[in-house]
Amino acid sequence: GENVEQHPSTLSVQEGDSAVIKCTYSDSASNYFPWYKQELGKRPQLIIDIRSNVGEKKDQRIAVTLNKTAKHFSLHITETQPEDSAVYFCAVHTGTASKLTFGTGTRLQVTL
Amino acid sequence: NAGVMQNPRHLVRRRGQEARLRCSPMKGHSHVYWYRQLPEEGLKFMVYLQKENIIDESGMPKERFSAEFPKEGPSILRIQQVVRGDSAAYFCASSPGTASYEQYFGPGTRLTVT
């Protein structure tokens, strides 16, 4: 089955700096790559996604890049703010059944 | 526009009891997914259902776990004879259909087995 690796597991940045989280996947047929933000005790919240026919997508301070050849994709957060502190999960759409395979998560801490 | 609803939000069961978790998808969504999240871990796929059909249950444990999505009413995840290892957060997600990959999550049910 699909294998998704996510790095780093923890990331601490100063307010205003950028944060980058990377994920790799194994199934070359994967075609949809969402990112979720999960605050403590809350639901995973879809923040941005990208499909395999697109190399980059941006939404205000958040961007995602996809390299299909290398089978990796990244989340970029610019001008980080304290409210960006949370656990971020990448995921990969697998197969015709549409299930998502999740990475292990990155705990982002934005310090003042 | 109500989001995905789950209840109860917290559930405490003693070992050997049954747990029933309910999920109502977003309006207009006909596809439901259940995921389990252990403390400090990621989400693991359990089962994917459409109305009256189980499409993919490859992530479900072979015993004690079952799921349904009846024609009327919410989707139910049922865990029989719970054990301590079943303690986790169980999240339901819904999507509009096979042409749309986006999945939106409910608030989860936190199951504690004592």
Side-chain angles (χ1 to χ4, degrees), chain B residues 11-32:
Chain B
L11 183 61
V12 180
R13 285 286 179 265
R14 291 198 180 113
R15 279 180 297 172
Q17 291 185 319
E18 179 179 289
R20 278 182 180 245
L21 289 61
R22 288 175 289 276
C23 168
S24 296
M26 287 177 70
K27 188 176 180 181
H29 287 194
S30 58
H31 296 232
V32 166

Side-chain angles (χ1 to χ4, degrees), chain A residues 31 36 38 43 97-98 107, chain B residues 37 40 48 101 103 105-106:
Chain A
N31 58 356
Y36 287 85
Q38 188 177 31
R43 76 184 75 193
S98 299
R107 184 175 300 278
Chain B
Q37 185 176 37
E40 303 296 318
Y48 162 40
Y101 300 142
Q103 294 185 19
F105 282 81

Side-chain angles (χ1 to χ4, degrees), chain B residues 58-73:
Chain B
S58 59
M60 288 279 270
K62 293 287 185 268
E63 297 177 349
R64 303 187 298 110
F65 286 71
S66 62
E68 62 176 4
F69 190 14
K71 187 176 181 181
E72 301 291 336

Side-chain angles (χ1 to χ4, degrees), chain B residues 32-95:
Chain B
V32 166
Y33 309 80
W34 286 92
Y35 293 86
R36 176 164 62 178
Q37 185 176 37
L38 294 171
E40 303 296 318
E41 292 190 14
L43 295 103
K44 303 291 186 187
F45 168 78
M46 299 182 74
V47 62
Y48 162 40
L49 310 102
Q50 297 177 24
K51 284 285 187 182
E52 301 183 281
N53 283 302
I54 297 175
I55 307 301
D56 182 354
E57 56 181 347
S58 59
M60 288 279 270
K62 293 287 185 268
E63 297 177 349
R64 303 187 298 110
F65 286 71
S66 62
E68 62 176 4
F69 190 14
K71 187 176 181 181
E72 301 291 336
S75 175
I76 306 284
L77 179 67
R78 182 182 177 205
I79 311 172
Q80 295 178 290
Q81 299 175 325
V82 295
V83 302
R84 289 235 173 98
D86 297 333
S87 296
Y90 291 82
F91 288 96
C92 164
S94 73
S95 73

